[in-house]
Amino acid sequence: MAVYVSNIVIEQGCDFAINFELQDTATNEAKNLVGYGITAQLRKTYSSSSYVSFASSIAIPSDGVISITLSDTQTSSLKPGRYVYDVLIQAGGLQSNNDRVKAVEGMALVRAGVTR
């Protein structure tokens, strides 16, 4: 499976949500994610030790649809600027011995909010 690159914009102080539809590159069909686990993080740089975890889920497993979200409380604590993020999936769940695979990655732009 190829890594899907998607740059995102996160509005500070607002709820954030996005869905991705993963495809099997061998068949160009939806990636069947039944039984998979998912995790996603946002960091200032790739080498940053601090991070924010997205709430991540496999929204429609048979159609390869995954979802990542941040609450308004989480986005309020982010400083405006550029970040990096990625989404990892793992067959058999996150506690299995199977390899984790990067499914999505990209830059995230956090834009400052005015209304509080």
Side-chain angles (χ1 to χ4, degrees), residues 4-113:
Y4 180 69
V5 177
S6 179
N7 296 328
I8 59 177
V9 176
I10 300 170
E11 300 293 340
Q12 187 183 46
C14 297
D15 291 323
F16 171 81
I18 190 167
N19 290 339
F20 300 101
E21 296 178 18
L22 304 182
Q23 290 185 337
D24 186 322
T25 54
T27 64
N28 289 332
E29 298 291 326
K31 175 89 174 152
N32 187 338
L33 298 174
V34 172
Y36 276 70
I38 183 173
T39 187
Q41 293 180 348
L42 175 77
R43 296 176 189 257
K44 188 64 178 165
T45 67
Y46 290 101
S47 59
S48 295
S49 59
S50 61
Y51 61 89
V52 174
S53 289
F54 288 94
S56 51
S57 65
I58 300 175
I60 308 173
S62 60
D63 290 341
V65 178
I66 61 174
S67 175
I68 60 173
T69 64
L70 292 171
S71 69
D72 60 337
T73 303
Q74 287 175 298
T75 64
S76 291
S77 68
L78 297 172
K79 293 182 180 178
R82 295 196 184 278
Y83 292 76
V84 292
Y85 80 99
D86 63 15
V87 181
L88 305 179
I89 60 173
Q90 188 169 0
L94 296 177
Q95 304 305 318
S96 75
N97 291 327
N98 296 321
D99 291 337
R100 287 187 180 191
V101 176
K102 188 183 296 188
V104 183
E105 70 176 351
M107 302 291 294
L109 175 64
V110 175
R111 293 179 9 158

